[in-house]
PDB file of all heavy atoms in Angstrom:
ATOM      1  N   PHE A   1      -4.830  10.561  -0.149  1.00 88.00           N
ATOM      2  CA  PHE A   1      -4.825  10.779  -1.595  1.00 88.00           C
ATOM      3  C   PHE A   1      -4.057   9.690  -2.352  1.00 88.00           C
ATOM      4  O   PHE A   1      -4.158   9.592  -3.574  1.00 88.00           O
ATOM      5  CB  PHE A   1      -4.221  12.148  -1.917  1.00 88.00           C
ATOM      6  CG  PHE A   1      -5.032  13.297  -1.397  1.00 88.00           C
ATOM      7  CD1 PHE A   1      -4.571  14.077  -0.348  1.00 88.00           C
ATOM      8  CD2 PHE A   1      -6.280  13.587  -1.926  1.00 88.00           C
ATOM      9  CE1 PHE A   1      -5.333  15.135   0.140  1.00 88.00           C
ATOM     10  CE2 PHE A   1      -7.052  14.633  -1.442  1.00 88.00           C
ATOM     11  CZ  PHE A   1      -6.575  15.405  -0.403  1.00 88.00           C
ATOM     12  N   ASN A   2      -3.282   8.883  -1.629  1.00 83.00           N
ATOM     13  CA  ASN A   2      -2.499   7.810  -2.246  1.00 83.00           C
ATOM     14  C   ASN A   2      -2.605   6.571  -1.358  1.00 83.00           C
ATOM     15  O   ASN A   2      -1.682   6.274  -0.584  1.00 83.00           O
ATOM     16  CB  ASN A   2      -1.030   8.220  -2.406  1.00 83.00           C
ATOM     17  CG  ASN A   2      -0.880   9.501  -3.204  1.00 83.00           C
ATOM     18  OD1 ASN A   2      -0.767   9.482  -4.416  1.00 83.00           O
ATOM     19  ND2 ASN A   2      -0.878  10.624  -2.497  1.00 83.00           N
ATOM     20  N   PRO A   3      -3.710   5.854  -1.418  1.00 72.00           N
ATOM     21  CA  PRO A   3      -3.972   4.744  -0.503  1.00 72.00           C
ATOM     22  C   PRO A   3      -2.901   3.653  -0.492  1.00 72.00           C
ATOM     23  O   PRO A   3      -2.705   2.983   0.523  1.00 72.00           O
ATOM     24  CB  PRO A   3      -5.309   4.184  -1.000  1.00 72.00           C
ATOM     25  CG  PRO A   3      -5.951   5.322  -1.732  1.00 72.00           C
ATOM     26  CD  PRO A   3      -4.825   6.077  -2.352  1.00 72.00           C
ATOM     27  N   ASP A   4      -2.185   3.462  -1.610  1.00 69.00           N
ATOM     28  CA  ASP A   4      -1.176   2.400  -1.641  1.00 69.00           C
ATOM     29  C   ASP A   4       0.028   2.739  -0.780  1.00 69.00           C
ATOM     30  O   ASP A   4       0.686   1.863  -0.232  1.00 69.00           O
ATOM     31  CB  ASP A   4      -0.727   2.113  -3.073  1.00 69.00           C
ATOM     32  CG  ASP A   4      -0.059   3.313  -3.734  1.00 69.00           C
ATOM     33  OD1 ASP A   4      -0.293   4.448  -3.286  1.00 69.00           O
ATOM     34  OD2 ASP A   4       0.691   3.094  -4.702  1.00 69.00           O
ATOM     35  N   GLY A   5       0.324   4.051  -0.611  1.00 61.00           N
ATOM     36  CA  GLY A   5       1.420   4.489   0.258  1.00 61.00           C
ATOM     37  C   GLY A   5       2.779   3.955  -0.146  1.00 61.00           C
ATOM     38  O   GLY A   5       3.677   3.824   0.673  1.00 61.00           O
ATOM     39  N   SER A   6       2.980   3.677  -1.429  1.00 63.00           N
ATOM     40  CA  SER A   6       4.182   2.981  -1.879  1.00 63.00           C
ATOM     41  C   SER A   6       5.461   3.814  -1.792  1.00 63.00           C
ATOM     42  O   SER A   6       6.548   3.270  -1.712  1.00 63.00           O
ATOM     43  CB  SER A   6       3.986   2.505  -3.323  1.00 63.00           C
ATOM     44  OG  SER A   6       3.659   3.604  -4.161  1.00 63.00           O
ATOM     45  N   LYS A   7       5.345   5.128  -1.808  1.00 67.00           N
ATOM     46  CA  LYS A   7       6.540   5.969  -1.855  1.00 67.00           C
ATOM     47  C   LYS A   7       6.769   6.754  -0.566  1.00 67.00           C
ATOM     48  O   LYS A   7       7.530   7.714  -0.555  1.00 67.00           O
ATOM     49  CB  LYS A   7       6.450   6.946  -3.030  1.00 67.00           C
ATOM     50  CG  LYS A   7       6.336   6.259  -4.389  1.00 67.00           C
ATOM     51  CD  LYS A   7       6.213   7.279  -5.496  1.00 67.00           C
ATOM     52  CE  LYS A   7       6.083   6.603  -6.864  1.00 67.00           C
ATOM     53  NZ  LYS A   7       5.899   7.583  -7.953  1.00 67.00           N
ATOM     54  N   TRP A   8       6.132   6.353   0.529  1.00 75.00           N
ATOM     55  CA  TRP A   8       6.197   7.166   1.746  1.00 75.00           C
ATOM     56  C   TRP A   8       7.588   7.197   2.372  1.00 75.00           C
ATOM     57  O   TRP A   8       7.935   8.104   3.095  1.00 75.00           O
ATOM     58  CB  TRP A   8       5.172   6.655   2.774  1.00 75.00           C
ATOM     59  CG  TRP A   8       5.227   7.445   4.043  1.00 75.00           C
ATOM     60  CD1 TRP A   8       5.613   7.021   5.270  1.00 75.00           C
ATOM     61  CD2 TRP A   8       4.917   8.832   4.202  1.00 75.00           C
ATOM     62  NE1 TRP A   8       5.557   8.035   6.182  1.00 75.00           N
ATOM     63  CE2 TRP A   8       5.127   9.172   5.539  1.00 75.00           C
ATOM     64  CE3 TRP A   8       4.477   9.834   3.320  1.00 75.00           C
ATOM     65  CZ2 TRP A   8       4.914  10.455   6.042  1.00 75.00           C
ATOM     66  CZ3 TRP A   8       4.269  11.109   3.814  1.00 75.00           C
ATOM     67  CH2 TRP A   8       4.487  11.406   5.163  1.00 75.00           C
ATOM     68  N   GLY A   9       8.433   6.247   2.074  1.00 74.00           N
ATOM     69  CA  GLY A   9       9.722   6.161   2.750  1.00 74.00           C
ATOM     70  C   GLY A   9      10.703   7.280   2.432  1.00 74.00           C
ATOM     71  O   GLY A   9      11.647   7.500   3.180  1.00 74.00           O
ATOM     72  N   THR A  10      10.547   8.003   1.332  1.00 82.00           N
ATOM     73  CA  THR A  10      11.508   9.037   0.949  1.00 82.00           C
ATOM     74  C   THR A  10      11.226  10.347   1.684  1.00 82.00           C
ATOM     75  O   THR A  10      10.094  10.617   2.092  1.00 82.00           O
ATOM     76  CB  THR A  10      11.444   9.278  -0.562  1.00 82.00           C
ATOM     77  OG1 THR A  10      10.095   9.625  -0.916  1.00 82.00           O
ATOM     78  CG2 THR A  10      11.844   8.023  -1.322  1.00 82.00           C
ATOM     79  N   PRO A  11      12.250  11.220   1.890  1.00 87.00           N
ATOM     80  CA  PRO A  11      12.062  12.486   2.620  1.00 87.00           C
ATOM     81  C   PRO A  11      11.049  13.416   1.955  1.00 87.00           C
ATOM     82  O   PRO A  11      10.333  14.145   2.628  1.00 87.00           O
ATOM     83  CB  PRO A  11      13.456  13.115   2.634  1.00 87.00           C
ATOM     84  CG  PRO A  11      14.397  11.980   2.411  1.00 87.00           C
ATOM     85  CD  PRO A  11      13.672  11.010   1.540  1.00 87.00           C
ATOM     86  N   VAL A  12      11.029  13.416   0.623  1.00 91.00           N
ATOM     87  CA  VAL A  12      10.062  14.227  -0.129  1.00 91.00           C
ATOM     88  C   VAL A  12       9.244  13.276  -0.990  1.00 91.00           C
ATOM     89  O   VAL A  12       9.808  12.529  -1.805  1.00 91.00           O
ATOM     90  CB  VAL A  12      10.769  15.273  -1.013  1.00 91.00           C
ATOM     91  CG1 VAL A  12       9.744  16.087  -1.786  1.00 91.00           C
ATOM     92  CG2 VAL A  12      11.649  16.188  -0.164  1.00 91.00           C
ATOM     93  N   VAL A  13       7.933  13.267  -0.788  1.00 91.00           N
ATOM     94  CA  VAL A  13       7.071  12.351  -1.538  1.00 91.00           C
ATOM     95  C   VAL A  13       6.085  13.148  -2.386  1.00 91.00           C
ATOM     96  O   VAL A  13       5.739  14.284  -2.061  1.00 91.00           O
ATOM     97  CB  VAL A  13       6.305  11.389  -0.603  1.00 91.00           C
ATOM     98  CG1 VAL A  13       7.248  10.466   0.108  1.00 91.00           C
ATOM     99  CG2 VAL A  13       5.464  12.159   0.400  1.00 91.00           C
ATOM    100  N   ARG A  14       5.643  12.541  -3.459  1.00 90.00           N
ATOM    101  CA  ARG A  14       4.719  13.207  -4.383  1.00 90.00           C
ATOM    102  C   ARG A  14       3.433  12.408  -4.520  1.00 90.00           C
ATOM    103  O   ARG A  14       3.445  11.171  -4.487  1.00 90.00           O
ATOM    104  CB  ARG A  14       5.361  13.399  -5.758  1.00 90.00           C
ATOM    105  CG  ARG A  14       6.534  14.363  -5.741  1.00 90.00           C
ATOM    106  CD  ARG A  14       7.208  14.446  -7.103  1.00 90.00           C
ATOM    107  NE  ARG A  14       8.339  15.364  -7.064  1.00 90.00           N
ATOM    108  CZ  ARG A  14       8.259  16.662  -7.328  1.00 90.00           C
ATOM    109  NH1 ARG A  14       7.081  17.198  -7.678  1.00 90.00           N
ATOM    110  NH2 ARG A  14       9.312  17.438  -7.274  1.00 90.00           N
ATOM    111  N   GLY A  15       2.347  13.112  -4.662  1.00 88.00           N
ATOM    112  CA  GLY A  15       1.049  12.495  -4.892  1.00 88.00           C
ATOM    113  C   GLY A  15       0.272  13.324  -5.897  1.00 88.00           C
ATOM    114  O   GLY A  15       0.821  14.234  -6.531  1.00 88.00           O
ATOM    115  N   ARG A  16      -0.991  13.033  -6.032  1.00 90.00           N
ATOM    116  CA  ARG A  16      -1.842  13.745  -6.989  1.00 90.00           C
ATOM    117  C   ARG A  16      -3.119  14.156  -6.287  1.00 90.00           C
ATOM    118  O   ARG A  16      -3.722  13.370  -5.558  1.00 90.00           O
ATOM    119  CB  ARG A  16      -2.163  12.836  -8.176  1.00 90.00           C
ATOM    120  CG  ARG A  16      -2.682  13.554  -9.400  1.00 90.00           C
ATOM    121  CD  ARG A  16      -1.594  14.325 -10.091  1.00 90.00           C
ATOM    122  NE  ARG A  16      -2.079  14.970 -11.314  1.00 90.00           N
ATOM    123  CZ  ARG A  16      -1.384  15.887 -11.982  1.00 90.00           C
ATOM    124  NH1 ARG A  16      -0.197  16.267 -11.546  1.00 90.00           N
ATOM    125  NH2 ARG A  16      -1.866  16.421 -13.087  1.00 90.00           N
ATOM    126  N   LEU A  17      -3.539  15.403  -6.486  1.00 93.00           N
ATOM    127  CA  LEU A  17      -4.735  15.929  -5.860  1.00 93.00           C
ATOM    128  C   LEU A  17      -5.918  15.886  -6.822  1.00 93.00           C
ATOM    129  O   LEU A  17      -5.734  15.829  -8.043  1.00 93.00           O
ATOM    130  CB  LEU A  17      -4.494  17.372  -5.393  1.00 93.00           C
ATOM    131  CG  LEU A  17      -3.458  17.564  -4.283  1.00 93.00           C
ATOM    132  CD1 LEU A  17      -3.270  19.043  -3.977  1.00 93.00           C
ATOM    133  CD2 LEU A  17      -3.864  16.804  -3.028  1.00 93.00           C
ATOM    134  N   PRO A  18      -7.145  15.936  -6.296  1.00 92.00           N
ATOM    135  CA  PRO A  18      -8.333  15.920  -7.157  1.00 92.00           C
ATOM    136  C   PRO A  18      -8.361  17.041  -8.187  1.00 92.00           C
ATOM    137  O   PRO A  18      -8.985  16.901  -9.245  1.00 92.00           O
ATOM    138  CB  PRO A  18      -9.486  16.066  -6.151  1.00 92.00           C
ATOM    139  CG  PRO A  18      -8.958  15.492  -4.885  1.00 92.00           C
ATOM    140  CD  PRO A  18      -7.504  15.851  -4.865  1.00 92.00           C
ATOM    141  N   ALA A  19      -7.684  18.169  -7.887  1.00 92.00           N
ATOM    142  CA  ALA A  19      -7.649  19.287  -8.832  1.00 92.00           C
ATOM    143  C   ALA A  19      -6.679  19.038  -9.982  1.00 92.00           C
ATOM    144  O   ALA A  19      -6.420  19.951 -10.789  1.00 92.00           O
ATOM    145  CB  ALA A  19      -7.277  20.576  -8.106  1.00 92.00           C
ATOM    146  N   ASP A  20      -6.134  17.822 -10.048  1.00 91.00           N
ATOM    147  CA  ASP A  20      -5.218  17.430 -11.121  1.00 91.00           C
ATOM    148  C   ASP A  20      -3.916  18.223 -11.079  1.00 91.00           C
ATOM    149  O   ASP A  20      -3.390  18.648 -12.118  1.00 91.00           O
ATOM    150  CB  ASP A  20      -5.885  17.568 -12.496  1.00 91.00           C
ATOM    151  CG  ASP A  20      -5.170  16.721 -13.553  1.00 91.00           C
ATOM    152  OD1 ASP A  20      -4.592  15.693 -13.175  1.00 91.00           O
ATOM    153  OD2 ASP A  20      -5.187  17.114 -14.731  1.00 91.00           O
ATOM    154  N   VAL A  21      -3.400  18.444  -9.880  1.00 92.00           N
ATOM    155  CA  VAL A  21      -2.083  19.036  -9.700  1.00 92.00           C
ATOM    156  C   VAL A  21      -1.273  18.122  -8.779  1.00 92.00           C
ATOM    157  O   VAL A  21      -1.833  17.349  -7.998  1.00 92.00           O
ATOM    158  CB  VAL A  21      -2.156  20.464  -9.094  1.00 92.00           C
ATOM    159  CG1 VAL A  21      -2.828  21.417 -10.040  1.00 92.00           C
ATOM    160  CG2 VAL A  21      -2.874  20.438  -7.742  1.00 92.00           C
ATOM    161  N   ASP A  22       0.036  18.225  -8.873  1.00 92.00           N
ATOM    162  CA  ASP A  22       0.910  17.418  -8.025  1.00 92.00           C
ATOM    163  C   ASP A  22       0.885  17.938  -6.587  1.00 92.00           C
ATOM    164  O   ASP A  22       0.835  19.147  -6.337  1.00 92.00           O
ATOM    165  CB  ASP A  22       2.348  17.466  -8.538  1.00 92.00           C
ATOM    166  CG  ASP A  22       2.529  16.635  -9.800  1.00 92.00           C
ATOM    167  OD1 ASP A  22       1.713  15.722 -10.016  1.00 92.00           O
ATOM    168  OD2 ASP A  22       3.484  16.907 -10.554  1.00 92.00           O
ATOM    169  N   LEU A  23       0.935  17.010  -5.647  1.00 94.00           N
ATOM    170  CA  LEU A  23       1.104  17.352  -4.229  1.00 94.00           C
ATOM    171  C   LEU A  23       2.514  16.941  -3.835  1.00 94.00           C
ATOM    172  O   LEU A  23       2.887  15.766  -3.943  1.00 94.00           O
ATOM    173  CB  LEU A  23       0.086  16.613  -3.367  1.00 94.00           C
ATOM    174  CG  LEU A  23       0.272  16.735  -1.840  1.00 94.00           C
ATOM    175  CD1 LEU A  23       0.087  18.185  -1.391  1.00 94.00           C
ATOM    176  CD2 LEU A  23      -0.692  15.821  -1.098  1.00 94.00           C
ATOM    177  N   VAL A  24       3.309  17.909  -3.394  1.00 95.00           N
ATOM    178  CA  VAL A  24       4.676  17.642  -2.953  1.00 95.00           C
ATOM    179  C   VAL A  24       4.704  17.746  -1.429  1.00 95.00           C
ATOM    180  O   VAL A  24       4.479  18.824  -0.872  1.00 95.00           O
ATOM    181  CB  VAL A  24       5.680  18.640  -3.569  1.00 95.00           C
ATOM    182  CG1 VAL A  24       7.093  18.330  -3.096  1.00 95.00           C
ATOM    183  CG2 VAL A  24       5.601  18.600  -5.094  1.00 95.00           C
ATOM    184  N   ILE A  25       4.953  16.616  -0.768  1.00 95.00           N
ATOM    185  CA  ILE A  25       4.979  16.592   0.700  1.00 95.00           C
ATOM    186  C   ILE A  25       6.422  16.522   1.181  1.00 95.00           C
ATOM    187  O   ILE A  25       7.158  15.588   0.852  1.00 95.00           O
ATOM    188  CB  ILE A  25       4.197  15.383   1.256  1.00 95.00           C
ATOM    189  CG1 ILE A  25       2.742  15.424   0.795  1.00 95.00           C
ATOM    190  CG2 ILE A  25       4.260  15.359   2.779  1.00 95.00           C
ATOM    191  CD1 ILE A  25       1.919  14.235   1.263  1.00 95.00           C
ATOM    192  N   VAL A  26       6.821  17.534   1.931  1.00 96.00           N
ATOM    193  CA  VAL A  26       8.137  17.556   2.566  1.00 96.00           C
ATOM    194  C   VAL A  26       7.928  17.108   4.010  1.00 96.00           C
ATOM    195  O   VAL A  26       7.449  17.865   4.841  1.00 96.00           O
ATOM    196  CB  VAL A  26       8.765  18.959   2.515  1.00 96.00           C
ATOM    197  CG1 VAL A  26      10.156  18.945   3.134  1.00 96.00           C
ATOM    198  CG2 VAL A  26       8.826  19.461   1.076  1.00 96.00           C
ATOM    199  N   LYS A  27       8.290  15.861   4.310  1.00 92.00           N
ATOM    200  CA  LYS A  27       7.962  15.260   5.602  1.00 92.00           C
ATOM    201  C   LYS A  27       8.655  15.959   6.766  1.00 92.00           C
ATOM    202  O   LYS A  27       8.090  16.073   7.845  1.00 92.00           O
ATOM    203  CB  LYS A  27       8.351  13.781   5.593  1.00 92.00           C
ATOM    204  CG  LYS A  27       7.522  12.940   4.649  1.00 92.00           C
ATOM    205  CD  LYS A  27       8.209  11.643   4.285  1.00 92.00           C
ATOM    206  CE  LYS A  27       8.663  10.843   5.486  1.00 92.00           C
ATOM    207  NZ  LYS A  27       9.268   9.547   5.069  1.00 92.00           N
ATOM    208  N   ASP A  28       9.886  16.375   6.549  1.00 90.00           N
ATOM    209  CA  ASP A  28      10.626  17.068   7.610  1.00 90.00           C
ATOM    210  C   ASP A  28      11.668  17.974   6.974  1.00 90.00           C
ATOM    211  O   ASP A  28      12.786  17.553   6.676  1.00 90.00           O
ATOM    212  CB  ASP A  28      11.292  16.067   8.557  1.00 90.00           C
ATOM    213  CG  ASP A  28      11.803  16.735   9.838  1.00 90.00           C
ATOM    214  OD1 ASP A  28      11.948  17.981   9.841  1.00 90.00           O
ATOM    215  OD2 ASP A  28      12.052  16.026  10.821  1.00 90.00           O
TER     216      ASP A  28
END
């Protein structure tokens, strides 16, 4: 959903889904 992958280094990363809502990924 975020091909650039620019913010992957942080423990909690955010992206955007096709439904126009935020995706909050908690890596660990």
Side-chain angles (χ1 to χ4, degrees):
F1 295 110
N2 304 270
D4 62 338
S6 56
K7 300 178 181 177
W8 179 246
T10 56
V12 180
V13 295
R14 294 176 181 270
R16 197 72 177 168
L17 295 177
D20 200 29
V21 295
D22 286 337
L23 172 64
V24 180
I25 301 178
V26 182
K27 293 160 52 177
D28 193 342

